[in-house]
PDB file of all heavy atoms in Angstrom:
ATOM      1  N   ARG A   1     106.315 129.751 101.460  1.00 96.00           N
ATOM      2  CA  ARG A   1     107.164 129.256 102.573  1.00 96.00           C
ATOM      3  C   ARG A   1     106.370 128.592 103.703  1.00 96.00           C
ATOM      4  O   ARG A   1     106.673 127.521 104.090  1.00 96.00           O
ATOM      5  CB  ARG A   1     108.044 130.361 103.125  1.00 96.00           C
ATOM      6  CG  ARG A   1     108.877 129.894 104.335  1.00 96.00           C
ATOM      7  CD  ARG A   1     109.823 130.965 104.824  1.00 96.00           C
ATOM      8  NE  ARG A   1     110.384 130.574 106.150  1.00 96.00           N
ATOM      9  CZ  ARG A   1     111.344 131.240 106.809  1.00 96.00           C
ATOM     10  NH1 ARG A   1     111.779 132.376 106.260  1.00 96.00           N
ATOM     11  NH2 ARG A   1     111.716 130.819 107.964  1.00 96.00           N
ATOM     12  N   TYR A   2     105.335 129.254 104.174  1.00 97.00           N
ATOM     13  CA  TYR A   2     104.518 128.727 105.275  1.00 97.00           C
ATOM     14  C   TYR A   2     103.227 128.081 104.740  1.00 97.00           C
ATOM     15  O   TYR A   2     102.648 128.568 103.744  1.00 97.00           O
ATOM     16  CB  TYR A   2     104.172 129.818 106.290  1.00 97.00           C
ATOM     17  CG  TYR A   2     105.367 130.336 107.013  1.00 97.00           C
ATOM     18  CD1 TYR A   2     106.006 131.498 106.573  1.00 97.00           C
ATOM     19  CD2 TYR A   2     105.868 129.701 108.145  1.00 97.00           C
ATOM     20  CE1 TYR A   2     107.084 131.997 107.219  1.00 97.00           C
ATOM     21  CE2 TYR A   2     106.944 130.188 108.848  1.00 97.00           C
ATOM     22  CZ  TYR A   2     107.575 131.359 108.395  1.00 97.00           C
ATOM     23  OH  TYR A   2     108.685 131.836 109.060  1.00 97.00           O
ATOM     24  N   GLY A   3     102.785 127.070 105.437  1.00 98.00           N
ATOM     25  CA  GLY A   3     101.529 126.453 105.094  1.00 98.00           C
ATOM     26  C   GLY A   3     100.936 125.750 106.299  1.00 98.00           C
ATOM     27  O   GLY A   3     101.640 125.294 107.175  1.00 98.00           O
ATOM     28  N   HIS A   4      99.616 125.701 106.342  1.00 98.00           N
ATOM     29  CA  HIS A   4      98.950 125.003 107.434  1.00 98.00           C
ATOM     30  C   HIS A   4      97.601 124.479 106.926  1.00 98.00           C
ATOM     31  O   HIS A   4      97.051 125.013 105.964  1.00 98.00           O
ATOM     32  CB  HIS A   4      98.714 125.855 108.661  1.00 98.00           C
ATOM     33  CG  HIS A   4      97.839 127.003 108.434  1.00 98.00           C
ATOM     34  ND1 HIS A   4      98.229 128.181 107.857  1.00 98.00           N
ATOM     35  CD2 HIS A   4      96.477 127.164 108.604  1.00 98.00           C
ATOM     36  CE1 HIS A   4      97.219 129.007 107.745  1.00 98.00           C
ATOM     37  NE2 HIS A   4      96.146 128.397 108.174  1.00 98.00           N
ATOM     38  N   ALA A   5      97.149 123.366 107.537  1.00 98.00           N
ATOM     39  CA  ALA A   5      95.895 122.765 107.134  1.00 98.00           C
ATOM     40  C   ALA A   5      95.318 121.898 108.200  1.00 98.00           C
ATOM     41  O   ALA A   5      96.045 121.299 108.989  1.00 98.00           O
ATOM     42  CB  ALA A   5      96.100 121.952 105.845  1.00 98.00           C
ATOM     43  N   TYR A   6      94.003 121.864 108.246  1.00 98.00           N
ATOM     44  CA  TYR A   6      93.283 120.929 109.078  1.00 98.00           C
ATOM     45  C   TYR A   6      92.646 119.856 108.073  1.00 98.00           C
ATOM     46  O   TYR A   6      92.100 120.226 107.051  1.00 98.00           O
ATOM     47  CB  TYR A   6      92.123 121.568 109.839  1.00 98.00           C
ATOM     48  CG  TYR A   6      92.581 122.421 110.977  1.00 98.00           C
ATOM     49  CD1 TYR A   6      93.108 123.704 110.853  1.00 98.00           C
ATOM     50  CD2 TYR A   6      92.455 121.930 112.281  1.00 98.00           C
ATOM     51  CE1 TYR A   6      93.485 124.496 111.953  1.00 98.00           C
ATOM     52  CE2 TYR A   6      92.821 122.646 113.388  1.00 98.00           C
ATOM     53  CZ  TYR A   6      93.328 123.938 113.190  1.00 98.00           C
ATOM     54  OH  TYR A   6      93.724 124.690 114.296  1.00 98.00           O
ATOM     55  N   ALA A   7      92.764 118.617 108.493  1.00 98.00           N
ATOM     56  CA  ALA A   7      92.171 117.533 107.620  1.00 98.00           C
ATOM     57  C   ALA A   7      91.258 116.690 108.476  1.00 98.00           C
ATOM     58  O   ALA A   7      91.728 115.844 109.253  1.00 98.00           O
ATOM     59  CB  ALA A   7      93.283 116.713 107.038  1.00 98.00           C
ATOM     60  N   PRO A   8      89.971 116.951 108.341  1.00 98.00           N
ATOM     61  CA  PRO A   8      89.004 116.072 109.052  1.00 98.00           C
ATOM     62  C   PRO A   8      88.757 114.815 108.257  1.00 98.00           C
ATOM     63  O   PRO A   8      88.709 114.847 107.025  1.00 98.00           O
ATOM     64  CB  PRO A   8      87.728 116.951 109.122  1.00 98.00           C
ATOM     65  CG  PRO A   8      87.828 117.817 107.883  1.00 98.00           C
ATOM     66  CD  PRO A   8      89.301 118.036 107.630  1.00 98.00           C
ATOM     67  N   MET A   9      88.580 113.699 108.910  1.00 98.00           N
ATOM     68  CA  MET A   9      88.196 112.450 108.302  1.00 98.00           C
ATOM     69  C   MET A   9      87.242 111.739 109.278  1.00 98.00           C
ATOM     70  O   MET A   9      87.737 111.111 110.247  1.00 98.00           O
ATOM     71  CB  MET A   9      89.388 111.591 107.917  1.00 98.00           C
ATOM     72  CG  MET A   9      89.018 110.402 107.074  1.00 98.00           C
ATOM     73  SD  MET A   9      90.419 109.620 106.368  1.00 98.00           S
ATOM     74  CE  MET A   9      89.638 108.436 105.343  1.00 98.00           C
ATOM     75  N   ASP A  10      85.981 111.853 108.994  1.00 98.00           N
ATOM     76  CA  ASP A  10      84.956 111.336 109.910  1.00 98.00           C
ATOM     77  C   ASP A  10      85.159 111.802 111.327  1.00 98.00           C
ATOM     78  O   ASP A  10      85.156 113.007 111.563  1.00 98.00           O
ATOM     79  CB  ASP A  10      84.893 109.782 109.813  1.00 98.00           C
ATOM     80  CG  ASP A  10      84.435 109.263 108.434  1.00 98.00           C
ATOM     81  OD1 ASP A  10      84.031 110.133 107.619  1.00 98.00           O
ATOM     82  OD2 ASP A  10      84.534 108.048 108.244  1.00 98.00           O
ATOM     83  N   GLU A  11      85.492 110.935 112.296  1.00 98.00           N
ATOM     84  CA  GLU A  11      85.601 111.340 113.725  1.00 98.00           C
ATOM     85  C   GLU A  11      86.963 111.910 114.045  1.00 98.00           C
ATOM     86  O   GLU A  11      87.241 112.326 115.174  1.00 98.00           O
ATOM     87  CB  GLU A  11      85.329 110.115 114.593  1.00 98.00           C
ATOM     88  CG  GLU A  11      86.445 109.199 114.921  1.00 98.00           C
ATOM     89  CD  GLU A  11      87.125 108.470 113.705  1.00 98.00           C
ATOM     90  OE1 GLU A  11      86.466 108.417 112.605  1.00 98.00           O
ATOM     91  OE2 GLU A  11      88.229 108.035 113.820  1.00 98.00           O
ATOM     92  N   THR A  12      87.878 111.914 113.061  1.00 98.00           N
ATOM     93  CA  THR A  12      89.262 112.312 113.292  1.00 98.00           C
ATOM     94  C   THR A  12      89.588 113.701 112.711  1.00 98.00           C
ATOM     95  O   THR A  12      89.050 114.079 111.655  1.00 98.00           O
ATOM     96  CB  THR A  12      90.203 111.283 112.646  1.00 98.00           C
ATOM     97  OG1 THR A  12      89.996 109.997 113.239  1.00 98.00           O
ATOM     98  CG2 THR A  12      91.690 111.655 112.832  1.00 98.00           C
ATOM     99  N   LEU A  13      90.376 114.519 113.457  1.00 98.00           N
ATOM    100  CA  LEU A  13      90.859 115.755 112.939  1.00 98.00           C
ATOM    101  C   LEU A  13      92.330 115.902 113.234  1.00 98.00           C
ATOM    102  O   LEU A  13      92.777 115.792 114.402  1.00 98.00           O
ATOM    103  CB  LEU A  13      90.061 116.900 113.615  1.00 98.00           C
ATOM    104  CG  LEU A  13      90.470 118.326 113.163  1.00 98.00           C
ATOM    105  CD1 LEU A  13      90.099 118.509 111.660  1.00 98.00           C
ATOM    106  CD2 LEU A  13      89.763 119.362 114.044  1.00 98.00           C
ATOM    107  N   THR A  14      93.099 116.150 112.163  1.00 98.00           N
ATOM    108  CA  THR A  14      94.553 116.370 112.286  1.00 98.00           C
ATOM    109  C   THR A  14      94.904 117.660 111.639  1.00 98.00           C
ATOM    110  O   THR A  14      94.321 118.048 110.631  1.00 98.00           O
ATOM    111  CB  THR A  14      95.317 115.206 111.616  1.00 98.00           C
ATOM    112  OG1 THR A  14      94.960 113.970 112.228  1.00 98.00           O
ATOM    113  CG2 THR A  14      96.780 115.433 111.762  1.00 98.00           C
ATOM    114  N   ARG A  15      95.852 118.371 112.255  1.00 98.00           N
ATOM    115  CA  ARG A  15      96.350 119.590 111.679  1.00 98.00           C
ATOM    116  C   ARG A  15      97.840 119.484 111.391  1.00 98.00           C
ATOM    117  O   ARG A  15      98.595 118.744 112.132  1.00 98.00           O
ATOM    118  CB  ARG A  15      96.083 120.823 112.529  1.00 98.00           C
ATOM    119  CG  ARG A  15      96.819 120.831 113.818  1.00 98.00           C
ATOM    120  CD  ARG A  15      96.400 122.037 114.698  1.00 98.00           C
ATOM    121  NE  ARG A  15      96.916 121.976 116.045  1.00 98.00           N
ATOM    122  CZ  ARG A  15      96.399 122.723 117.049  1.00 98.00           C
ATOM    123  NH1 ARG A  15      95.376 123.534 116.792  1.00 98.00           N
ATOM    124  NH2 ARG A  15      96.870 122.607 118.238  1.00 98.00           N
ATOM    125  N   ALA A  16      98.314 120.170 110.379  1.00 98.00           N
ATOM    126  CA  ALA A  16      99.707 120.209 110.097  1.00 98.00           C
ATOM    127  C   ALA A  16     100.109 121.689 109.765  1.00 98.00           C
ATOM    128  O   ALA A  16      99.349 122.394 109.182  1.00 98.00           O
ATOM    129  CB  ALA A  16     100.028 119.356 108.849  1.00 98.00           C
ATOM    130  N   ALA A  17     101.314 121.999 110.234  1.00 98.00           N
ATOM    131  CA  ALA A  17     101.845 123.299 109.911  1.00 98.00           C
ATOM    132  C   ALA A  17     103.289 123.188 109.425  1.00 98.00           C
ATOM    133  O   ALA A  17     104.022 122.351 109.979  1.00 98.00           O
ATOM    134  CB  ALA A  17     101.825 124.227 111.140  1.00 98.00           C
ATOM    135  N   ILE A  18     103.663 123.924 108.393  1.00 98.00           N
ATOM    136  CA  ILE A  18     104.979 123.743 107.728  1.00 98.00           C
ATOM    137  C   ILE A  18     105.678 125.044 107.599  1.00 98.00           C
ATOM    138  O   ILE A  18     105.020 126.116 107.290  1.00 98.00           O
ATOM    139  CB  ILE A  18     104.746 123.175 106.298  1.00 98.00           C
ATOM    140  CG1 ILE A  18     104.425 121.674 106.357  1.00 98.00           C
ATOM    141  CG2 ILE A  18     105.961 123.367 105.433  1.00 98.00           C
ATOM    142  CD1 ILE A  18     104.218 121.040 104.999  1.00 98.00           C
ATOM    143  N   ASP A  19     106.970 125.089 107.777  1.00 97.00           N
ATOM    144  CA  ASP A  19     107.822 126.158 107.399  1.00 97.00           C
ATOM    145  C   ASP A  19     108.924 125.617 106.548  1.00 97.00           C
ATOM    146  O   ASP A  19     109.673 124.721 107.031  1.00 97.00           O
ATOM    147  CB  ASP A  19     108.395 126.830 108.640  1.00 97.00           C
ATOM    148  CG  ASP A  19     109.381 127.964 108.337  1.00 97.00           C
ATOM    149  OD1 ASP A  19     109.509 128.351 107.171  1.00 97.00           O
ATOM    150  OD2 ASP A  19     110.064 128.405 109.265  1.00 97.00           O
ATOM    151  N   ILE A  20     109.025 125.952 105.316  1.00 96.00           N
ATOM    152  CA  ILE A  20     110.116 125.501 104.437  1.00 96.00           C
ATOM    153  C   ILE A  20     111.322 126.403 104.777  1.00 96.00           C
ATOM    154  O   ILE A  20     111.603 127.346 104.110  1.00 96.00           O
ATOM    155  CB  ILE A  20     109.707 125.591 102.969  1.00 96.00           C
ATOM    156  CG1 ILE A  20     108.525 124.706 102.697  1.00 96.00           C
ATOM    157  CG2 ILE A  20     110.899 125.103 102.070  1.00 96.00           C
ATOM    158  CD1 ILE A  20     107.964 124.753 101.253  1.00 96.00           C
ATOM    159  N   SER A  21     111.992 126.008 105.832  1.00 93.00           N
ATOM    160  CA  SER A  21     112.917 126.928 106.549  1.00 93.00           C
ATOM    161  C   SER A  21     114.371 126.562 106.282  1.00 93.00           C
ATOM    162  O   SER A  21     115.249 127.402 106.556  1.00 93.00           O
ATOM    163  CB  SER A  21     112.656 126.762 108.041  1.00 93.00           C
ATOM    164  OG  SER A  21     112.817 125.389 108.465  1.00 93.00           O
ATOM    165  N   GLY A  22     114.645 125.345 105.839  1.00 93.00           N
ATOM    166  CA  GLY A  22     115.986 124.887 105.790  1.00 93.00           C
ATOM    167  C   GLY A  22     116.486 124.345 107.137  1.00 93.00           C
ATOM    168  O   GLY A  22     117.600 123.945 107.252  1.00 93.00           O
ATOM    169  N   ARG A  23     115.546 124.373 108.109  1.00 94.00           N
ATOM    170  CA  ARG A  23     115.873 123.857 109.466  1.00 94.00           C
ATOM    171  C   ARG A  23     114.979 122.681 109.765  1.00 94.00           C
ATOM    172  O   ARG A  23     113.816 122.868 110.147  1.00 94.00           O
ATOM    173  CB  ARG A  23     115.667 124.935 110.495  1.00 94.00           C
ATOM    174  CG  ARG A  23     116.626 126.143 110.359  1.00 94.00           C
ATOM    175  CD  ARG A  23     116.495 127.128 111.465  1.00 94.00           C
ATOM    176  NE  ARG A  23     115.129 127.580 111.716  1.00 94.00           N
ATOM    177  CZ  ARG A  23     114.534 128.545 111.005  1.00 94.00           C
ATOM    178  NH1 ARG A  23     115.180 129.208 110.063  1.00 94.00           N
ATOM    179  NH2 ARG A  23     113.267 128.883 111.297  1.00 94.00           N
ATOM    180  N   PRO A  24     115.443 121.490 109.477  1.00 97.00           N
ATOM    181  CA  PRO A  24     114.557 120.297 109.646  1.00 97.00           C
ATOM    182  C   PRO A  24     114.157 120.094 111.121  1.00 97.00           C
ATOM    183  O   PRO A  24     115.026 120.102 111.986  1.00 97.00           O
ATOM    184  CB  PRO A  24     115.427 119.138 109.122  1.00 97.00           C
ATOM    185  CG  PRO A  24     116.569 119.767 108.410  1.00 97.00           C
ATOM    186  CD  PRO A  24     116.728 121.145 109.006  1.00 97.00           C
ATOM    187  N   PHE A  25     112.865 119.852 111.321  1.00 98.00           N
ATOM    188  CA  PHE A  25     112.385 119.560 112.665  1.00 98.00           C
ATOM    189  C   PHE A  25     111.010 118.953 112.562  1.00 98.00           C
ATOM    190  O   PHE A  25     110.216 119.429 111.718  1.00 98.00           O
ATOM    191  CB  PHE A  25     112.359 120.898 113.539  1.00 98.00           C
ATOM    192  CG  PHE A  25     112.358 120.540 115.000  1.00 98.00           C
ATOM    193  CD1 PHE A  25     113.506 120.424 115.683  1.00 98.00           C
ATOM    194  CD2 PHE A  25     111.179 120.411 115.694  1.00 98.00           C
ATOM    195  CE1 PHE A  25     113.535 120.182 117.068  1.00 98.00           C
ATOM    196  CE2 PHE A  25     111.159 120.150 117.059  1.00 98.00           C
ATOM    197  CZ  PHE A  25     112.349 119.993 117.733  1.00 98.00           C
ATOM    198  N   LEU A  26     110.707 117.981 113.376  1.00 98.00           N
ATOM    199  CA  LEU A  26     109.419 117.411 113.419  1.00 98.00           C
ATOM    200  C   LEU A  26     108.852 117.466 114.865  1.00 98.00           C
ATOM    201  O   LEU A  26     109.565 117.040 115.807  1.00 98.00           O
ATOM    202  CB  LEU A  26     109.370 115.968 112.954  1.00 98.00           C
ATOM    203  CG  LEU A  26     108.045 115.225 113.159  1.00 98.00           C
ATOM    204  CD1 LEU A  26     107.001 115.790 112.203  1.00 98.00           C
ATOM    205  CD2 LEU A  26     108.210 113.709 112.965  1.00 98.00           C
ATOM    206  N   VAL A  27     107.637 117.937 115.051  1.00 98.00           N
ATOM    207  CA  VAL A  27     106.854 117.803 116.216  1.00 98.00           C
ATOM    208  C   VAL A  27     105.688 116.868 115.845  1.00 98.00           C
ATOM    209  O   VAL A  27     104.907 117.236 114.935  1.00 98.00           O
ATOM    210  CB  VAL A  27     106.325 119.131 116.779  1.00 98.00           C
ATOM    211  CG1 VAL A  27     105.388 118.893 117.978  1.00 98.00           C
ATOM    212  CG2 VAL A  27     107.506 120.063 117.177  1.00 98.00           C
ATOM    213  N   TRP A  28     105.621 115.764 116.532  1.00 98.00           N
ATOM    214  CA  TRP A  28     104.598 114.688 116.181  1.00 98.00           C
ATOM    215  C   TRP A  28     103.764 114.498 117.429  1.00 98.00           C
ATOM    216  O   TRP A  28     104.290 114.021 118.448  1.00 98.00           O
ATOM    217  CB  TRP A  28     105.315 113.479 115.776  1.00 98.00           C
ATOM    218  CG  TRP A  28     104.446 112.294 115.496  1.00 98.00           C
ATOM    219  CD1 TRP A  28     104.129 111.282 116.404  1.00 98.00           C
ATOM    220  CD2 TRP A  28     103.749 111.973 114.291  1.00 98.00           C
ATOM    221  NE1 TRP A  28     103.299 110.355 115.759  1.00 98.00           N
ATOM    222  CE2 TRP A  28     103.046 110.784 114.505  1.00 98.00           C
ATOM    223  CE3 TRP A  28     103.657 112.597 113.059  1.00 98.00           C
ATOM    224  CZ2 TRP A  28     102.237 110.164 113.481  1.00 98.00           C
ATOM    225  CZ3 TRP A  28     102.862 112.019 112.052  1.00 98.00           C
ATOM    226  CH2 TRP A  28     102.177 110.817 112.300  1.00 98.00           C
ATOM    227  N   LYS A  29     102.498 114.806 117.324  1.00 98.00           N
ATOM    228  CA  LYS A  29     101.574 114.535 118.412  1.00 98.00           C
ATOM    229  C   LYS A  29     100.365 113.755 117.844  1.00 98.00           C
ATOM    230  O   LYS A  29      99.324 114.306 117.593  1.00 98.00           O
ATOM    231  CB  LYS A  29     101.092 115.858 119.048  1.00 98.00           C
ATOM    232  CG  LYS A  29     102.214 116.608 119.770  1.00 98.00           C
ATOM    233  CD  LYS A  29     101.700 117.847 120.513  1.00 98.00           C
ATOM    234  CE  LYS A  29     102.848 118.517 121.228  1.00 98.00           C
ATOM    235  NZ  LYS A  29     102.390 119.688 122.024  1.00 98.00           N
ATOM    236  N   SER A  30     100.680 112.512 117.618  1.00 98.00           N
ATOM    237  CA  SER A  30      99.648 111.593 117.090  1.00 98.00           C
ATOM    238  C   SER A  30      99.991 110.220 117.578  1.00 98.00           C
ATOM    239  O   SER A  30     101.071 110.002 118.122  1.00 98.00           O
ATOM    240  CB  SER A  30      99.670 111.680 115.522  1.00 98.00           C
ATOM    241  OG  SER A  30      98.560 110.928 115.050  1.00 98.00           O
ATOM    242  N   GLY A  31      99.115 109.302 117.420  1.00 96.00           N
ATOM    243  CA  GLY A  31      99.387 107.981 117.918  1.00 96.00           C
ATOM    244  C   GLY A  31      98.336 106.954 117.494  1.00 96.00           C
ATOM    245  O   GLY A  31      97.284 107.330 116.974  1.00 96.00           O
ATOM    246  N   PHE A  32      98.593 105.692 117.711  1.00 98.00           N
ATOM    247  CA  PHE A  32      97.723 104.665 117.212  1.00 98.00           C
ATOM    248  C   PHE A  32      97.454 103.626 118.331  1.00 98.00           C
ATOM    249  O   PHE A  32      98.303 103.432 119.214  1.00 98.00           O
ATOM    250  CB  PHE A  32      98.395 103.973 116.021  1.00 98.00           C
ATOM    251  CG  PHE A  32      98.704 104.901 114.873  1.00 98.00           C
ATOM    252  CD1 PHE A  32      99.938 105.538 114.821  1.00 98.00           C
ATOM    253  CD2 PHE A  32      97.745 105.183 113.915  1.00 98.00           C
ATOM    254  CE1 PHE A  32     100.203 106.471 113.803  1.00 98.00           C
ATOM    255  CE2 PHE A  32      98.006 106.069 112.889  1.00 98.00           C
ATOM    256  CZ  PHE A  32      99.192 106.715 112.806  1.00 98.00           C
ATOM    257  N   SER A  33      96.342 102.999 118.234  1.00 97.00           N
ATOM    258  CA  SER A  33      95.934 102.054 119.248  1.00 97.00           C
ATOM    259  C   SER A  33      96.130 100.560 118.842  1.00 97.00           C
ATOM    260  O   SER A  33      95.773  99.650 119.578  1.00 97.00           O
ATOM    261  CB  SER A  33      94.512 102.275 119.690  1.00 97.00           C
ATOM    262  OG  SER A  33      93.625 102.079 118.573  1.00 97.00           O
ATOM    263  N   GLN A  34      96.624 100.415 117.643  1.00 96.00           N
ATOM    264  CA  GLN A  34      96.958  99.071 117.149  1.00 96.00           C
ATOM    265  C   GLN A  34      98.288  99.041 116.480  1.00 96.00           C
ATOM    266  O   GLN A  34      98.772 100.090 115.973  1.00 96.00           O
ATOM    267  CB  GLN A  34      95.840  98.590 116.142  1.00 96.00           C
ATOM    268  CG  GLN A  34      95.726  99.373 114.905  1.00 96.00           C
ATOM    269  CD  GLN A  34      94.476  99.026 114.082  1.00 96.00           C
ATOM    270  OE1 GLN A  34      93.356  99.144 114.565  1.00 96.00           O
ATOM    271  NE2 GLN A  34      94.686  98.571 112.852  1.00 96.00           N
ATOM    272  N   PRO A  35      98.954  97.852 116.440  1.00 97.00           N
ATOM    273  CA  PRO A  35     100.304  97.887 115.939  1.00 97.00           C
ATOM    274  C   PRO A  35     100.470  97.904 114.423  1.00 97.00           C
ATOM    275  O   PRO A  35     101.507  98.208 113.922  1.00 97.00           O
ATOM    276  CB  PRO A  35     100.871  96.520 116.483  1.00 97.00           C
ATOM    277  CG  PRO A  35      99.654  95.674 116.683  1.00 97.00           C
ATOM    278  CD  PRO A  35      98.593  96.621 117.045  1.00 97.00           C
ATOM    279  N   ARG A  36      99.407  97.563 113.703  1.00 95.00           N
ATOM    280  CA  ARG A  36      99.527  97.537 112.226  1.00 95.00           C
ATOM    281  C   ARG A  36      98.252  98.070 111.572  1.00 95.00           C
ATOM    282  O   ARG A  36      97.171  97.982 112.114  1.00 95.00           O
ATOM    283  CB  ARG A  36      99.723  96.068 111.748  1.00 95.00           C
ATOM    284  CG  ARG A  36     100.893  95.418 112.375  1.00 95.00           C
ATOM    285  CD  ARG A  36     101.247  94.110 111.645  1.00 95.00           C
ATOM    286  NE  ARG A  36     102.548  94.326 111.008  1.00 95.00           N
ATOM    287  CZ  ARG A  36     103.067  93.522 110.081  1.00 95.00           C
ATOM    288  NH1 ARG A  36     102.399  92.452 109.692  1.00 95.00           N
ATOM    289  NH2 ARG A  36     104.243  93.740 109.554  1.00 95.00           N
ATOM    290  N   LEU A  37      98.453  98.620 110.409  1.00 95.00           N
ATOM    291  CA  LEU A  37      97.390  98.983 109.494  1.00 95.00           C
ATOM    292  C   LEU A  37      97.659  98.297 108.182  1.00 95.00           C
ATOM    293  O   LEU A  37      98.676  98.526 107.522  1.00 95.00           O
ATOM    294  CB  LEU A  37      97.353 100.487 109.277  1.00 95.00           C
ATOM    295  CG  LEU A  37      96.642 101.304 110.385  1.00 95.00           C
ATOM    296  CD1 LEU A  37      96.940 102.806 110.201  1.00 95.00           C
ATOM    297  CD2 LEU A  37      95.176 101.053 110.432  1.00 95.00           C
ATOM    298  N   GLY A  38      96.768  97.347 107.820  1.00 91.00           N
ATOM    299  CA  GLY A  38      97.140  96.476 106.723  1.00 91.00           C
ATOM    300  C   GLY A  38      98.364  95.709 107.152  1.00 91.00           C
ATOM    301  O   GLY A  38      98.426  95.161 108.237  1.00 91.00           O
ATOM    302  N   GLU A  39      99.360  95.778 106.268  1.00 91.00           N
ATOM    303  CA  GLU A  39     100.668  95.151 106.662  1.00 91.00           C
ATOM    304  C   GLU A  39     101.682  96.127 107.147  1.00 91.00           C
ATOM    305  O   GLU A  39     102.808  95.769 107.410  1.00 91.00           O
ATOM    306  CB  GLU A  39     101.198  94.388 105.435  1.00 91.00           C
ATOM    307  CG  GLU A  39     101.777  95.235 104.335  1.00 91.00           C
ATOM    308  CD  GLU A  39     100.749  95.820 103.334  1.00 91.00           C
ATOM    309  OE1 GLU A  39      99.597  95.996 103.729  1.00 91.00           O
ATOM    310  OE2 GLU A  39     101.082  96.043 102.179  1.00 91.00           O
ATOM    311  N   MET A  40     101.251  97.401 107.352  1.00 96.00           N
ATOM    312  CA  MET A  40     102.272  98.417 107.776  1.00 96.00           C
ATOM    313  C   MET A  40     102.275  98.604 109.287  1.00 96.00           C
ATOM    314  O   MET A  40     101.233  98.759 109.958  1.00 96.00           O
ATOM    315  CB  MET A  40     101.938  99.785 107.131  1.00 96.00           C
ATOM    316  CG  MET A  40     102.985 100.799 107.438  1.00 96.00           C
ATOM    317  SD  MET A  40     102.910 102.210 106.291  1.00 96.00           S
ATOM    318  CE  MET A  40     104.085 103.349 107.121  1.00 96.00           C
ATOM    319  N   ASP A  41     103.491  98.649 109.863  1.00 96.00           N
ATOM    320  CA  ASP A  41     103.726  98.843 111.262  1.00 96.00           C
ATOM    321  C   ASP A  41     103.367 100.356 111.594  1.00 96.00           C
ATOM    322  O   ASP A  41     103.991 101.231 111.021  1.00 96.00           O
ATOM    323  CB  ASP A  41     105.141  98.569 111.679  1.00 96.00           C
ATOM    324  CG  ASP A  41     105.542  97.067 111.415  1.00 96.00           C
ATOM    325  OD1 ASP A  41     104.604  96.257 111.510  1.00 96.00           O
ATOM    326  OD2 ASP A  41     106.671  96.847 111.135  1.00 96.00           O
ATOM    327  N   THR A  42     102.476 100.532 112.516  1.00 97.00           N
ATOM    328  CA  THR A  42     102.070 101.919 112.805  1.00 97.00           C
ATOM    329  C   THR A  42     103.191 102.792 113.450  1.00 97.00           C
ATOM    330  O   THR A  42     103.162 103.966 113.286  1.00 97.00           O
ATOM    331  CB  THR A  42     100.804 101.937 113.687  1.00 97.00           C
ATOM    332  OG1 THR A  42     101.012 101.162 114.813  1.00 97.00           O
ATOM    333  CG2 THR A  42      99.594 101.457 112.957  1.00 97.00           C
ATOM    334  N   GLU A  43     104.093 102.142 114.147  1.00 96.00           N
ATOM    335  CA  GLU A  43     105.185 102.889 114.728  1.00 96.00           C
ATOM    336  C   GLU A  43     106.050 103.566 113.630  1.00 96.00           C
ATOM    337  O   GLU A  43     106.817 104.513 113.934  1.00 96.00           O
ATOM    338  CB  GLU A  43     106.106 102.020 115.579  1.00 96.00           C
ATOM    339  CG  GLU A  43     106.997 101.033 114.781  1.00 96.00           C
ATOM    340  CD  GLU A  43     107.932 100.330 115.709  1.00 96.00           C
ATOM    341  OE1 GLU A  43     107.876 100.489 116.888  1.00 96.00           O
ATOM    342  OE2 GLU A  43     108.806  99.536 115.115  1.00 96.00           O
TER     343      GLU A  43
END
């Protein structure tokens, strides 16, 4: 049911925590300094 992980990638570190709860919710604390990555809009 629960899971969490830290994912380092060079100078970057992101963590994620999950509860397979049946109650959908997102807390997003991340962001980008450019509008696109490749052809994908970062927003």
Side-chain angles (χ1 to χ4, degrees):
R1 177 176 168 176
Y2 293 95
H4 64 276
Y6 285 79
M9 190 166 184
D10 295 352
E11 86 298 341
T12 298
L13 182 64
T14 300
R15 67 182 169 199
I18 285 180
D19 176 12
I20 301 177
S21 59
R23 296 186 306 277
F25 200 88
L26 174 68
V27 174
W28 175 264
K29 295 186 177 182
S30 189
F32 302 91
S33 62
Q34 64 190 58
R36 305 194 111 193
L37 279 170
E39 73 278 28
M40 184 163 173
D41 299 328
T42 51
E43 72 172 4

